[in-house]
Amino acid sequence: MFRERDLEEIRATREEWERTVLKKVMERWPERREEFRTMSGIPVKRVYTPEDIADKDYVRDISFPGWPPFTRGVQPTGYRGSLWTRRLITGFATPEETNKRLKFLIQEGQTGLNIIFDNPTTNCFDSDNPICEGEVGRDGVPIDTLRDMEVVMDGIDMRSVSTSLIIAGPFVMCCYIALAEKRGIPIRELRGTLQNDMVSLFYTVNSIAFSLPDAFRFSTDVIEFCRRNIPRWNPISFIGYQIREMGCTAAQEIAFTIASAVAYARELIRRGMDVDEFMPRFSFFFNAHNDFFEEICKYRAARRLWARIAREDFGAKDPMSWLCRFHVQTAGSSLTAQQPMNNVIRTTLQALAAVLGGTNSLHTNSMDECYALPSEAAARTALRTQQIIAYESGVTNTVDPLAGSYFVESLTDRLEEEARAILAKVDEMGGMIAALQAGWPQREIMRAAHEYHRKIKEGELNIIGVNMFEESEEEIPLEILRIDPSYEEHQIKMLREVKARRDNSAVRRSLDELKRAIERGENIMPACLEVVKSYATIEEMMSTMQDVVGRGEESKHAFVC
Amino acid sequence: MIEKRPIRVLLAKPGLDGHNRGINLVGKALRDAGMEVLYGGMRVTPEQVVEMALQEDVDVIGLSIFSGGLMTVVPKIFRALRESEARDIPVIVGGIVPPMDERELLDMGIARVFGPGSDLDDIVDCVQELARSRLERETA
């Protein structure tokens, strides 16, 4: 990017600067540390200059927003056109309570829904299964049958809202589709995202209703169905967020997220789809952690790396296929129980990094999430955090304002290179599924997590209130959300009412049909839709599927290190 | 003189939650401190936890739970412990625990609660102390 003559002059000036002023200052006032590193351990120099990005080509490596390789963002106008989607995660207690909270957030200016489901639903159990006792509605909304989705979305216009469903597999997606059909809305008009990345969920939150290959197959069925029937729906969102929450580095977050995308892309191609039929609707989900610049560079590096992989490795021709469009959530694991009000400031910085990194959608955590699900007051502050960044700070006035910073470009390069090296290793092992079966990503991530905690313990990384500026005997100034246990009883009562009212022979017929579809190796989605419409329960659907393919098993690779 | 064997700890995740970073970190810290750590797995029932604890003759049980199910699971564990011959095995808990639940857990008989931001050394010390006082009670 620079002429040789300029570089020579820069080098000469730098050397002179080092010999004179820098040397003098360093002798009298040594720096605070021997070496400076990012949170992920990448060395950071004192000062960056054009020398550090001398091999960069502006057009090839940085270029324009909305133009390959998309380092500067996927929208040509950035946030000058439209702001990112403000989406707070919602879901707790019952479908009724969740519906109320969703309406409240819409009224407060939220622009998209982001619904999370409780542990029983995520694990495909009915609320009345004894194994779920005490967990119904605790960490999300329960969905036992189509009835619950009807209640969650009551009074919300499915045509105008974009909905993100934080769950994998066919059941909840089919509830959403079936509800639209019931309301007479053509399903091709639905907009939103299904998380659906079973590969990442397998080792992050250990979703093990099915074996990894079976879960992979069923989630790929959902993608295939959605691509053919719901053109504006993102049928998968590759989850870097959870991977980072396990304690990995920024480069690992990029690499393992993209590794999952590569696995799904290869499978869809193997099934006979053209790459440009599905790739335009791939979406991604990243974390925003504490190291401000490293996070900004992570988003820039991920966009560029994905664009290159989509184009060069997969031969995608539609520019939409090259776009790494992503949602960001600020890092839950960065919140501290100590001095919890400080979490508002942490979340603000993380959210700002996501915005400067060009996120398409954002969730900001509430300060009290180190203790419980957010209270309404804490959730409002989290939303206001985004609104202050969006409307007050001025950072949205120009696109990718940090481009061209010698440091930012250099760190972006470094993260792309590191992520590429990890991806090459995954490929050597036969792809992400084979690598996971061998336990390699799990062990690498756990090693990074241990390293992270060692650094905090030894003071290499600072966490205010934890290893610096601690306070003893703190009063916790927060109102904590309590989920009344009677919600669980209510949910079980509703489930029993649905079961008493429905036509059980229709349920049986639809489940038998699903079984046959699995045995025949067909896409299961049409059969799943019929199952949902018969008001069969989530567990009835899962057990039927398990009758054919069996269950999964916990991967214990991470524990052995 | 009792032959000195390493402290044996059972770590498990009852309930439906699947987040395992905490339990992995604690497991490594205990192992690095010279203890034998048995991993009981995820989504195990309270009865399975107690059965494993007996079978493996552990000195301390550590439960990791990040879901709201904690307050339902813990009484069941104590019930199963009381019904077994392992009633005196101390139990510690880690995870996301609201402050008022912490009080209640301690009242139920949980030896210590380690919430977010806990220090691994503190956990190691606590397990060593619990194992030592149990051994003293046995030999007395």
Side-chain angles (χ1 to χ4, degrees):
Chain A
M1 286 211 298
F2 306 92
R3 285 176 308 180
E4 195 50 42
R5 200 162 50 93
D6 292 343
L7 283 169
E8 267 165 37
E9 201 186 334
I10 290 165
R11 191 174 312 120
T13 312
R14 175 176 54 76
E15 284 165 4
E16 192 188 345
W17 171 77
E18 284 170 347
R19 267 197 321 273
T20 56
V21 289
L22 177 67
K23 186 157 174 280
K24 224 197 263 165
V25 166
M26 292 285 284
E27 278 164 4
R28 281 191 66 182
W29 298 288
E31 290 175 335
R32 288 180 293 109
R33 287 173 186 272
E34 282 283 304
E35 53 168 21
F36 290 76
R37 287 176 181 272
T38 65
M39 184 181 147
S40 301
I42 296 173
V44 179
K45 302 201 316 186
R46 177 174 305 112
V47 76
Y48 287 78
T49 72
E51 293 172 276
D52 296 290
I53 54 168
D55 62 337
K56 290 291 107 182
D57 180 297
Y58 182 80
V59 171
R60 185 193 63 202
D61 300 313
I62 302 169
S63 204
F64 290 87
W67 194 264
F70 304 101
T71 316
R72 307 197 64 179
V74 298
Q75 298 288 356
T77 56
Y79 301 127
R80 290 164 65 106
S82 53
L83 292 163
W84 63 92
T85 314
R86 273 91 60 212
R87 261 184 221 279
L88 292 200
I89 296 177
T90 316
F92 67 106
T94 57
E96 289 83 353
E97 289 302 309
T98 300
N99 175 258
K100 271 191 236 161
R101 180 69 75 91
L102 288 173
K103 286 176 174 162
F104 162 78
L105 287 168
I106 292 171
Q107 189 197 324
E108 290 291 315
Q110 176 164 296
T111 49
L113 308 182
N114 198 7
I115 305 173
I116 194 158
F117 303 89
D118 67 0
N119 278 324
T121 306
T122 303
N123 287 283
C124 305
F125 292 119
D126 287 351
S127 297
D128 62 351
N129 185 325
I131 202 171
C132 303
E133 195 189 334
E135 301 212 39
V136 177
R138 294 303 172 102
D139 301 314
V141 60
I143 301 284
D144 288 308
T145 65
L146 173 56
R147 175 262 168 204
D148 296 332
M149 185 61 84
E150 292 165 5
V151 176
V152 167
M153 296 301 293
D154 183 59
I156 298 171
D157 180 8
M158 293 172 84
R159 282 180 206 243
S160 67
V161 82
S162 140
T163 304
S164 147
L165 303 168
I166 311 175
I167 199 160
F171 189 86
V172 170
M173 184 70 220
C174 285
C175 287
Y176 198 81
I177 297 172
L179 176 59
E181 284 184 1
K182 260 188 94 170
R183 289 187 180 175
I185 299 167
I187 67 167
R188 53 176 305 105
E189 287 183 20
L190 297 177
R191 285 183 305 125
T193 302
L194 181 71
Q195 190 166 72
N196 203 29
D197 178 5
M198 282 307 306
V199 171
S200 302
L201 289 171
F202 171 78
Y203 67 104
T204 55
V205 293
N206 293 278
S207 286
I208 47 159
F210 303 104
S211 73
L212 179 55
D214 290 325
F216 184 54
R217 168 188 166 189
F218 298 141
S219 50
T220 311
D221 284 354
V222 180
I223 304 175
E224 223 183 344
F225 177 89
C226 290
R227 284 315 300 136
R228 301 214 152 110
N229 299 285
I230 321 179
R232 288 197 294 168
W233 191 273
N234 304 309
I236 190 159
S237 170
F238 302 102
I239 311 167
Y241 178 80
Q242 294 284 9
I243 305 174
R244 190 63 179 278
E245 289 292 282
M246 289 175 80
C248 76
T249 66
Q252 285 173 331
E253 182 187 345
I254 303 173
F256 291 132
T257 310
I258 289 184
S260 176
V262 167
Y264 278 98
R266 287 183 185 152
E267 172 63 12
L268 287 158
I269 290 166
R270 193 195 63 78
R271 288 183 179 203
M273 274 191 132
D274 183 81
V275 64
D276 289 319
E277 259 182 273
F278 60 81
M279 215 171 254
R281 280 292 162 189
F282 270 11
S283 65
F284 296 79
F285 172 26
F286 291 114
N287 197 295
H289 220 301
N290 286 344
D291 192 312
F292 187 70
F293 286 108
E294 185 170 61
E295 294 302 281
I296 294 169
C297 297
K298 178 183 78 184
Y299 308 122
R300 301 175 85 246
R303 265 195 307 265
R304 185 161 73 199
L305 181 55
W306 177 251
R308 288 177 170 166
I309 288 173
R311 258 184 120 169
E312 291 157 23
D313 301 355
F314 285 98
K317 302 217 167 38
D318 181 349
M320 280 291 286
S321 297
W322 308 335
L323 303 183
C324 174
R325 294 170 302 126
F326 57 87
H327 171 70
V328 168
Q329 179 174 342
T330 56
S333 62
S334 74
L335 303 181
T336 65
Q338 295 89 339
Q339 306 172 34
M341 298 291 257
N342 295 348
N343 292 330
V344 178
I345 296 124
R346 282 190 185 97
T347 299
T348 305
L349 287 167
Q350 294 162 357
L352 182 59
V355 168
L356 291 172
T359 192
N360 302 97
S361 151
L362 182 61
H363 166 91
T364 32
N365 291 323
S366 301
M367 64 182 118
D368 53 358
E369 288 185 67
C370 45
Y371 289 113
L373 294 196
S375 67
E376 202 162 285
R380 186 188 284 116
T381 301
L383 181 58
R384 295 288 182 251
T385 302
Q386 295 200 31
Q387 291 163 342
I388 289 168
I389 295 173
Y391 298 108
E392 286 185 17
S393 75
V395 297
T396 53
N397 291 343
T398 187
V399 190
D400 190 28
L402 296 176
S405 147
Y406 312 121
F407 174 47
V408 167
E409 295 301 350
S410 163
L411 187 54
T412 302
D413 289 350
R414 170 74 186 245
L415 284 163
E416 186 189 356
E417 274 163 37
E418 277 193 24
R420 242 187 212 289
I422 298 166
L423 277 166
K425 174 84 186 164
V426 169
D427 255 348
E428 245 172 64
M429 300 186 75
M432 193 53 173
I433 291 185
L436 285 170
Q437 284 170 328
W440 185 74
Q442 296 97 311
R443 284 193 299 271
E444 287 296 300
I445 293 165
M446 212 31 77
R447 195 167 299 145
H450 289 304
E451 181 60 11
Y452 173 73
H453 287 272
R454 183 196 64 74
K455 283 187 202 160
I456 292 174
K457 204 171 132 188
E458 294 174 8
E460 285 174 41
L461 273 179
N462 301 324
I463 311 285
I464 303 303
V466 174
N467 66 4
M468 266 186 132
F469 310 113
E470 300 100 312
E471 287 170 20
S472 49
E473 304 292 317
E474 308 179 38
E475 275 292 304
I476 292 148
L478 299 175
E479 162 214 348
I480 305 283
L481 179 83
R482 304 292 288 172
I483 310 278
D484 190 325
S486 68
Y487 287 130
E488 183 161 325
E489 288 159 37
H490 170 83
Q491 181 60 19
I492 292 172
K493 195 169 142 248
M494 291 297 116
L495 169 60
R496 301 221 160 118
E497 273 180 23
V498 170
K499 279 181 158 177
R501 262 200 329 258
R502 69 186 188 181
D503 173 0
N504 280 318
S505 63
V507 171
R508 257 193 317 276
R509 272 198 310 278
S510 71
L511 290 171
D512 286 344
E513 191 44 50
L514 172 59
K515 206 177 219 170
R516 278 194 292 276
I518 298 171
E519 284 163 350
R520 287 194 296 255
E522 291 167 5
N523 188 311
I524 62 168
M525 280 296 278
C528 287
L529 258 174
E530 292 311 309
V531 169
V532 164
K533 286 182 197 162
S534 77
Y535 289 85
T537 69
I538 188 166
E539 190 170 334
E540 286 167 337
M541 181 192 268
M542 174 189 68
S543 326
T544 302
M545 292 161 77
Q546 283 179 339
D547 284 347
V548 188
V549 298
R551 315 167 174 267
E553 240 178 72
E554 182 186 341
S555 138
K556 293 188 180 167
H557 293 288
F559 202 80
V560 216
C561 66
Chain B
M1 189 67 195
I2 300 168
E3 196 190 332
K4 205 166 167 209
R5 66 157 173 86
I7 296 169
R8 289 166 75 89
V9 188
L10 172 68
L11 296 183
K13 276 184 69 62
L16 297 175
D17 155 67
H19 292 89
N20 62 354
R21 175 177 177 177
I23 197 170
N24 288 342
L25 287 167
V26 170
K28 179 155 192 302
L30 297 178
R31 228 169 251 174
D32 289 350
M35 301 182 207
E36 267 184 57
V37 180
L38 301 140
Y39 178 53
M42 277 179 198
R43 305 190 181 100
V44 285
T45 63
E47 294 72 26
Q48 286 169 323
V49 172
V50 172
E51 199 185 304
M52 283 186 276
L54 278 179
Q55 230 164 44
E56 302 287 348
D57 186 27
V58 300
D59 302 293
V60 178
I61 300 173
L63 306 175
S64 167
I65 311 184
F66 281 75
S67 67
L70 187 63
M71 303 311 282
T72 327
V73 163
V74 169
K76 287 185 189 166
I77 300 249
F78 279 115
R79 200 173 317 136
L81 275 173
R82 272 196 301 277
E83 285 163 9
S84 75
E85 60 217 88
R87 61 186 62 214
D88 70 326
I89 303 180
V91 185
I92 59 172
V93 160
I96 304 266
V97 183
M100 47 283 193
D101 286 354
E102 179 172 342
R103 191 66 261 155
E104 218 176 299
L105 287 168
L106 296 173
D107 289 344
M108 284 178 198
I110 290 290
R112 273 285 290 279
V113 175
F114 292 98
S118 296
D119 179 33
L120 288 172
D121 290 341
D122 196 16
I123 299 176
V124 170
D125 291 345
C126 168
V127 171
Q128 274 165 344
E129 181 52 39
L130 289 170
R132 193 169 54 237
S133 52
R134 178 166 182 257
L135 188 67
E136 277 167 14
R137 276 201 308 276
E138 272 181 6
T139 45

